[in-house]
Amino acid sequence: MGHECSSIELTDDGILVGASFNNGGRMQERKLHCGLLLGADGARSKVRELAGISMKGERDLQQLVSVHFVSRDLGKYLSSERPGMLFFIFNPDAIGVLVAHDLEHGEFVLQVPFYPPQQMFEDFSAKVCEQIIVKLVGWEPADIQVLDIKPWAMHAEVAEKYVGCDNRVILVGDAAHRFPPAGGFGMNTGVQDAHNLAWKLCLLLNGIADPSIIQTYESERKPVATFNTELSLENFKAAMSIPATLGLDPTIANSVHRVINSSLGSIIPRNLQKVVLEGLFSIGRTQVSDYILSENNPLGSLRLARLRSILDEGKSLQLQFPAEDLGFRYGKGALVAEDCAESTYQAEDLKHSKRSSGEYIPSAKVGSRLPHMLVRPLSASSEGVFSTLDLVSGDKIEFVIIIAPLKESYKLAQAMLRIADEFELSSKVCVMWPQGSRDVEAKGSISELAPWTNYVDVEEIPRATVNSSWWEMYQVSNRSVILVRPDEHIAWRTEPDMVRDAYSDVRRVFSQILSLNRPQV
Ligand SMILES: Cc1cc2nc3c(=O)[nH]c(=O)nc-3n(C[C@H](O)[C@H](O)[C@H](O)COP(=O)(O)OP(=O)(O)OC[C@H]3O[C@@H](n4cnc5c(N)ncnc54)[C@H](O)[C@@H]3O)c2cc1C
């Protein structure tokens, strides 16, 4: 909106934010007084800098130029000859990664590594970029049009704190973490941050939760970012195994660059250093010439065999991460830790499960995402099939309680409904009936849950391939009572036998979940 955060100053009751803007060629600053400032201002976050929050991890792994261009000619050629999304191009003239955003309209973004100070961003004019594209493509598309050229640096870092300045400044997205773009974690992790923070801000601003709830944003999200940073770095290194096998090890290029910086840096002029560097890189790139990289050349043949085995064994860049996308758990934060020993954060678990299987194994453990299963309303008059995920309301803050239709579970659900009413929290019970209940149990839970009406009776629809109940599939007893937070994560799971006094135990759980400190509670 044409404004840039340029200063911050803490006041007794908030934060004074300076927002600079261009007023007819003159920069001016407008002051805004706020309760909270969300720094969602990207990898080079000014808000982070102003709040004095530092980053931890590996810096400046690589400098790159991003070239946004269009060429219908190239799009047409790739669509018919080599359809794909990501093209890692290594040839004796140039190296780059081409991302096809839209083959039909010929829209691409090219990533080219560069090595300052010998090579500077300013060297990459539109003309130079066009020449690089032609070298990479190997022929001259007629209609290349460069739209934008931007530099960026690859880091693997996470902010030391997500919340600073007396809980007044909160970092979100790239401002809080910056990863190598390997695996698609950057924006996705940022969207998850926003999702996590949004409902907590809502509770805070509506006076339902104590300000301490904001700290749970950090304790929940930071471990995920740290984990994803390592994963992206690992994945980036796996991707680099391809050029390394071809004799183009990027770590060697970086070492050559370092040597030039340290040995020639102070002796010979910059433009000569540039010639030396580019000369060495050009010699390096001959490793992928037809002469060397050929089945007739013993070295080339060995490299090609290694390359095939990396690709066959799937040891290069990974792009599917269901376990990491869905399988992380928050063990510390806005959920109950006490009496939930199993909820301790299992980053090690995740690390283990992820690379050994790579699969997402849904679970009903505390902290995990509510597992999906198709269900349908029990009442014969209601039609339609939906997912257990649809039980979580999209438009209001509502807790969901899942039980099986068992006497003891109903009792616990009644206690939960009573306490939710008392706390003025929206809640809903889902009674999960086994398959085949639809015809025999037409009345559902009315006799057990009336006078409450905020419940739904559903019948499980097991998958064709797995004939297990929802409870069996997610390895929990059907005596379990599951409490789901508004953000789709399981907040608490218990069995009636584990509860000493339904009313006071559930009351304690709700207070802990929401860090409720209102006087009447
Ligand atoms: C080559 C590449 C490929 C990628 N591929 C993927 C992918 O496949 N999947 C994925 O999930 N992620 C990917 N990412 C990462 C993704 O682009 C980022 O994680 C995401 O854009 C971060 O979003 P953000 O809103 O936090 O920050 P940004 O998108 O950087 O937005 C920050 C905004 O803040 C504004 N701003 C900056 N300073 C100020 C200020 N002082 N005051 C006010 N406003 C300010 C900026 O103008 C900008 O609009 C990739 C990144 C790169 C570089």
Side-chain angles (χ1 to χ4, degrees), residues 3-6 39-47 50 66 85 99 109 111 152-153 172-190:
H3 286 68
E4 204 171 296
C5 173
S6 43
D41 52 343
R44 279 175 277 193
S45 173
K46 182 77 182 172
V47 173
L50 293 171
S66 223
M85 184 196 86
V99 187
V109 177
Q111 307 295 341
W152 62 280
V172 191
D174 273 20
H177 42 72
R178 32 195 206 184
F179 319 143
F185 282 101
M187 186 188 65
N188 283 299
T189 308

Side-chain angles (χ1 to χ4, degrees), residues 173-469:
D174 273 20
H177 42 72
R178 32 195 206 184
F179 319 143
F185 282 101
M187 186 188 65
N188 283 299
T189 308
V191 170
Q192 290 169 359
D193 293 340
H195 181 262
N196 186 287
L197 186 58
W199 71 270
K200 292 173 182 173
L201 284 180
C202 188
L203 287 186
L204 176 70
L205 298 179
N206 284 308
I208 298 172
D210 184 87
S212 63
I213 197 159
I214 296 305
Q215 281 299 335
T216 72
Y217 162 67
E218 175 172 313
S219 51
E220 293 191 340
R221 294 303 306 159
K222 202 176 150 200
V224 174
T226 306
F227 183 83
N228 288 349
T229 310
E230 276 174 37
L231 189 64
S232 305
L233 196 55
E234 221 176 79
N235 201 22
F236 172 66
K237 287 179 181 159
M240 290 305 108
S241 65
I242 299 283
T245 304
L246 295 173
L248 296 173
D249 193 334
T251 56
I252 296 179
N254 287 330
S255 307
V256 166
H257 182 227
R258 260 197 309 276
V259 169
I260 291 183
N261 278 344
S262 58
S263 60
L264 304 181
S266 54
I267 309 168
I268 63 169
R270 185 76 44 87
N271 53 358
L272 210 54
Q273 290 176 36
K274 183 177 163 140
V275 173
V276 173
L277 184 80
E278 288 179 358
L280 288 170
F281 284 176
S282 161
I283 294 168
R285 286 194 301 267
T286 56
Q287 298 296 320
V288 286
S289 63
D290 288 345
Y291 174 68
I292 296 184
L293 203 63
S294 136
E295 293 291 2
N296 300 327
N297 181 317
L299 180 63
S301 153
L302 185 73
R303 285 178 174 171
L304 287 170
R306 277 201 203 129
L307 186 65
R308 270 190 292 272
S309 103
I310 291 176
L311 295 174
D312 290 348
E313 290 168 24
K315 288 193 175 151
S316 176
L317 181 73
Q318 305 289 314
L319 292 171
Q320 299 290 330
F321 288 91
E324 291 76 11
D325 290 340
L326 299 168
F328 59 84
R329 293 203 277 147
Y330 302 136
K332 229 167 58 173
L335 56 75
V336 184
E338 206 188 319
D339 291 350
C340 291
E342 63 160 19
S343 75
T344 348
Y345 186 66
Q346 300 285 353
E348 285 307 312
D349 256 13
L350 182 61
K351 221 178 234 173
H352 202 69
S353 68
K354 114 208 147 188
R355 284 306 93 204
S356 51
S357 73
E359 269 179 65
Y360 165 53
I361 302 163
S363 130
K365 285 184 180 167
V366 173
S368 26
R369 287 180 74 90
L370 175 65
H372 152 81
M373 185 182 211
L374 288 178
V375 291
R376 71 175 145 230
L378 190 65
S379 122
S381 61
S382 321
E383 278 307 317
V385 168
F386 58 94
S387 163
T388 43
L389 294 173
D390 298 321
L391 294 168
V392 181
S393 174
D395 54 11
K396 60 178 172 182
I397 301 173
E398 183 175 73
F399 284 81
V400 177
I401 300 146
I402 300 178
I403 61 168
L406 304 173
K407 198 103 204 132
E408 290 301 302
S409 304
Y410 277 126
K411 278 210 180 114
L412 203 49
Q414 284 164 8
M416 288 186 166
L417 288 170
R418 214 163 68 228
I419 287 147
D421 282 355
E422 191 189 319
F423 282 7
E424 294 173 25
L425 290 170
S426 182
S427 66
K428 175 168 72 192
V429 176
C430 166
V431 186
M432 188 87 77
W433 295 73
Q435 190 185 25
S437 305
R438 194 175 159 100
D439 304 327
V440 279
E441 304 286 354
K443 283 216 165 74
S445 304
I446 190 160
S447 60
E448 301 290 343
L449 293 178
W452 281 287
T453 52
N454 46 334
Y455 68 86
V456 50
D457 285 296
V458 299
E459 178 197 23
E460 297 176 13
I461 309 177
R463 281 171 215 183
T465 47
V466 196
N467 193 21
S468 317
S469 77

